[in-house]
Amino acid sequence: MCSLCGVLGGNEHWADAVARPGVYTRNVERIDRRRERANRVRIANAMLARFGLTISDWQGASFVLSTRTGKSEIIEDLGHLWPAAERLCGRPCDPLDPTLIVAAEVAIDD
Amino acid sequence: MTEPQVPLLTPINLLTGFLGSGKTTLLARLLADPALSDAAVLINEFGEVGLDHHLVERIDDTMVLLQSGCLCCTVRGELADAIKDLHSKRERGLVPPFRRIVVESTGLADPFPVLSTIKSDSVLRHHFRPGNVITTVDAVNGLSQLGTYVESNRQAAVADRLVITKVDLAPAGDVVSLVEKLRGINPDAPLLTATDPSFDVADLVDENLSLRAAALQSSSGFYCEAPVQLTTAEGAVHQSAVTSFVMTVERAIDWTAFGIWLTMLLNRHGEKVLRVKGILNIAGEERPVAIHGVQHLVHTPVHMERWPDEDRRSRIVFIVDGLDVGLLKRSFEAFALDRSPAEAAAVPKRSLQERQSSS
């Protein structure tokens, strides 16, 4: 159970699968897990910047998602990231939004 | 040591198909087959007469009838209870130690809630796992059903195995068009014909990933490079446009970036992404990773033993309902590939898991 928010045995998210035979996961060794979390924060921040949001690791257990004014929410895993992001920024985070895609494509070309 | 009687995670197969497409006939056949002699069956009693119940035989005491008709709306709780009940009885030795459960859904049900029930229930997900989704399509009426009913398309799209029934009753031309149509909707699910003498029940439940990988690999396996648009029986474009396409990615995929992009896509459009399945070349991994998702639900990624051939490109099949394919491809290119400069040290060449498994 998460002692902070009281969530009992959260749902296993596919990107954080429990290590067992045959399963691909980076959730095995402590170092791997921490590295994956750091990487996730870095890449998610690049994406979230488009919505004026930032994310940071919290104690290697949760993530804190914040707006520029400091409004924050704690999330467990990627499964909670986007619903929380939409709540905080007040608009849909749609990867198929043409404006968003064009902006990213321009950035790639630069 | 003898083989354990009960698998660690008991697979649950879903048998679906449109009304009258031969689900019950197939189920009766499955149950008579030795390959499925150890399966418990849950059938869905639709309508007051419980017709399906009278037609299915030989399932005696391991059968539980779901009472509330349509699986799609009310049965989530009941299905979970029914499976838990079976599990409990098996543990207590009240029923034979079944090694598989087959759930037969009603013809109108969207198969997704059944899969999400298995995945989200806190008890079930530790004892059961989703097995193949088997969809029956009737050779006589299938083509018109696919052109008219959204449910029919969704059932075909989520299938792991497609079974064409009543081929002996349909003109050969119809069967050919039906196969073509099914390939457009679901390009990589093995297509079996129920009347075929070589039809083997074991193929339906066999989860050999290489089958799927082989279908993805073969050059002729890409049945659907051009998007397929649905038309109604009258020839008008259907409101629901189930389209499938394959995305081939040359460069290695960054697992983290891909995960962030896919969760973002599914959060917004999960209901329209009927299927996403693929074999990925993950940066830093020598072996391919298979991913498999149905709408909002992505199964645990599987680390495959080896690449089926020399081709190391990632291939991802999307089956979408009314999403702009062009935008989806551009979105993938723009967001799912990590382009930010990562420190070389940040990503190990091989994960610790791999190093351990190879040592």
Side-chain angles (χ1 to χ4, degrees):
Chain A
M1 188 175 81
C2 167
S3 56
L4 196 70
C5 50
V7 175
L8 256 172
N11 214 340
E12 180 189 38
H13 191 261
W14 60 273
D16 291 315
V18 175
R20 49 186 183 267
V23 162
Y24 179 69
T25 180
R26 292 190 174 164
N27 206 358
V28 190
E29 291 291 325
R30 200 159 45 96
I31 299 291
D32 274 352
R33 193 162 63 231
R34 294 304 289 255
R35 185 184 286 123
E36 174 65 14
R37 289 182 75 84
N39 213 7
R40 191 174 288 176
V41 164
R42 181 176 62 83
I43 294 171
N45 267 325
M47 194 72 199
L48 288 164
R50 301 180 169 99
F51 303 96
L53 298 168
T54 54
I55 194 168
S56 58
D57 189 3
W58 189 85
Q59 303 280 324
S62 301
F63 298 98
V64 179
L65 190 62
S66 309
T67 66
R68 285 179 186 145
T69 57
K71 195 160 75 169
S72 302
E73 219 174 289
I74 293 175
I75 57 159
E76 280 283 285
D77 57 35
L78 285 184
H80 299 138
L81 170 61
W82 295 108
E86 292 188 342
R87 270 198 301 279
L88 285 178
C89 73
R91 63 191 169 105
C93 299
D94 185 356
L96 302 186
D97 177 357
T99 328
L100 203 64
I101 296 176
V102 168
E105 284 171 344
V106 169
I108 292 168
D109 290 340
D110 286 345
Chain B
M1 210 177 108
T2 56
E3 196 191 352
Q5 281 219 302
V6 173
L8 199 58
L9 291 170
T10 308
I12 300 185
N13 292 106
L14 177 64
L15 177 60
T16 184
F18 206 66
L19 298 168
S21 64
K23 288 185 296 297
T24 309
T25 317
L26 183 66
L27 183 63
R29 197 166 151 193
L30 296 187
L31 293 171
D33 194 282
L36 277 181
S37 58
D38 50 3
V41 176
L42 292 168
I43 63 173
N44 193 49
E45 192 169 60
F46 192 67
E48 287 178 14
V49 285
L51 183 67
D52 283 351
H53 171 49
H54 296 299
L55 291 177
V56 177
E57 291 175 345
R58 293 191 49 177
I59 36 184
D60 333 312
D61 49 357
T62 52
M63 187 185 71
V64 179
L65 274 179
L66 298 171
Q67 290 300 327
S68 69
C70 187
L71 266 179
C72 59
C73 31
T74 46
V75 144
R76 275 180 92 127
E78 263 186 60
L79 177 70
D81 290 345
I83 298 173
K84 277 185 234 171
D85 186 49
L86 271 177
H87 175 61
S88 157
K89 284 182 174 156
R90 178 175 66 179
E91 293 295 306
R92 287 180 286 151
L94 298 179
V95 297
F98 58 88
R99 296 163 62 90
R100 175 179 303 283
I101 294 182
V102 179
V103 177
E104 184 200 2
S105 81
T106 67
L108 287 170
D110 183 345
F112 176 69
V114 176
L115 299 173
S116 71
T117 301
I118 303 165
K119 187 80 179 181
S120 57
D121 187 282
S122 51
V123 174
L124 294 186
R125 66 191 157 98
H126 291 110
H127 298 286
F128 298 92
R129 61 181 176 81
N132 287 344
V133 175
I134 304 160
T135 301
T136 54
V137 186
D138 161 5
V140 182
N141 301 313
L143 203 55
S144 66
Q145 283 161 356
L146 285 169
T148 321
Y149 298 100
V150 178
E151 295 83 1
S152 181
N153 282 284
R154 295 179 89 92
Q155 289 166 351
V158 301
D160 293 296
R161 298 285 182 273
L162 284 162
V163 180
I164 304 185
T165 59
K166 307 184 191 175
V167 170
D168 45 344
L169 304 177
D174 286 8
V175 179
V176 173
S177 344
L178 178 65
V179 168
E180 234 166 69
K181 186 123 194 163
L182 288 173
R183 278 303 173 212
I185 295 172
N186 190 335
D188 74 326
L191 242 168
L192 307 161
T193 307
T195 46
D196 194 334
S198 66
F199 179 78
D200 186 356
V201 166
D203 286 344
L204 290 178
V205 293
D206 176 28
E207 283 160 45
N208 191 353
L209 271 169
S210 64
L211 258 183
R212 159 142 292 148
L216 278 172
Q217 294 288 329
S218 67
S219 52
S220 62
F222 299 114
Y223 297 94
C224 55
E225 289 295 8
V228 179
Q229 293 287 325
L230 280 191
T231 51
T232 59
E234 291 78 41
V237 174
H238 202 281
Q239 50 164 355
S240 144
V242 176
T243 308
S244 66
F245 64 96
V246 182
M247 217 150 51
T248 311
V249 189
E250 296 285 342
R251 53 188 287 183
I253 291 179
D254 181 88
W255 176 245
T256 315
F258 177 75
I260 290 172
W261 175 78
L262 187 61
T263 49
M264 189 179 187
L265 178 75
L266 296 181
N267 174 55
R268 194 86 318 259
H269 301 288
E271 276 164 28
K272 292 179 178 169
V273 180
L274 299 182
R275 271 306 261 276
V276 46
K277 45 197 168 185
I279 173 168
L280 305 182
N281 180 357
I282 301 285
E285 294 292 335
E286 281 162 19
R287 288 151 58 196
V289 172
I291 54 148
H292 183 190
V294 180
Q295 299 184 33
H296 288 284
L297 188 142
V298 179
H299 295 308
T300 318
V302 177
H303 212 179
M304 293 170 73
E305 280 302 317
R306 66 185 75 83
W307 285 93
D309 58 28
E310 289 303 305
D311 194 351
R312 293 287 182 274
R313 290 175 306 171
S314 302
R315 272 137 295 177
I316 311 170
V317 177
F318 279 92
I319 303 180
V320 296
D321 184 353
L323 285 185
D324 185 328
V325 173
L327 272 183
L328 190 65
K329 284 183 175 166
R330 281 173 60 199
S331 175
F332 179 88
E333 288 286 329
F335 304 124
L337 304 171
D338 177 28
R339 294 176 197 276
S340 54
E343 300 84 340
V347 183
K349 285 271 179 278
R350 298 162 73 200
S351 71
L352 277 172
Q353 187 188 13
E354 278 233 318
R355 262 173 268 162
Q356 281 170 348
S357 61
S358 62
S359 63

